[in-house]
Amino acid sequence: MKAHQIQDLIVRIGAAAGVAIAMLVTINTLTAVSQQHIERDLASYASHAQLQVAGSDAAKRA
């Protein structure tokens, strides 16, 4: 291989590595955001369920 071919190969490998790192960062960010949304939704659901149970108990006592 000639020097310019080796240099071109190194540039291409570097570019591919950069794209791979960007993909990993994006996937990691999306996973973290999804997890936060799931936790928020579960907390909201649990709070709503507790309010329904409390309301049901209060209605039974009345």
Side-chain angles (χ1 to χ4, degrees):
M1 292 182 94
K2 295 183 180 178
H4 72 278
Q5 289 176 320
I6 294 172
Q7 189 174 11
D8 186 49
L9 182 61
I10 291 170
V11 169
R12 288 173 188 250
I13 290 171
V19 169
I21 290 170
M23 288 174 61
L24 290 173
V25 169
T26 302
I27 290 168
N28 189 35
T29 302
L30 291 173
T31 302
V33 169
S34 295
Q35 183 176 355
Q36 289 172 353
H37 286 186
I38 289 168
E39 289 171 357
R40 184 197 63 210
D41 292 346
L42 286 175
S44 175
Y45 174 76
S47 175
H48 182 69
Q50 286 176 345
L51 289 175
Q52 283 185 334
V53 169
S56 177
D57 290 345
K60 288 178 185 174
R61 280 182 255 138

